[in-house]
Amino acid sequence: MNEAKYVIVNGSGIIFSAAIQHKDMVGYNEKCEGAGFVSFAVEKDSYGDSYGDDIIVAKCYGKSISLGIESRPEKDSKILTRQITNPF
């Protein structure tokens, strides 16, 4: 399985290659709220405008060694899934 990494900075998620360190994706003096690894799955939408349709769902886990920050699996997964399925 190919892994991807992510960080949550100022409430927004950034997904990037596992070859890059988490600390390199967070700017100087920016507050990183969550960081770790992410995988993706296809599930049926259980609410919202796409009810019953297939949607991509993010599954966050792990932690960032370079930042010393834990993943917040439920909260971070919701943020990334919302960004992917509902692009403003």
Side-chain angles (χ1 to χ4, degrees), residues 11-70:
S12 294
I14 303 167
I15 300 168
F16 53 96
S17 167
I20 300 170
Q21 290 192 27
H22 288 96
K23 69 178 183 171
D24 295 333
M25 297 302 293
V26 180
Y28 179 75
N29 245 1
E30 286 187 312
K31 183 176 189 261
C32 182
E33 296 122 15
F37 295 88
V38 61
S39 63
F40 299 95
V42 177
E43 296 181 1
K44 294 286 183 195
D45 191 5
S46 58
Y47 60 90
D49 294 337
S50 301
Y51 180 81
D53 290 345
D54 289 337
I55 60 169
I56 297 171
V57 177
K59 307 279 185 176
C60 297
Y61 59 95
K63 66 180 181 179
S64 164
I65 301 297
S66 65
L67 291 173
I69 296 176
E70 296 279 337

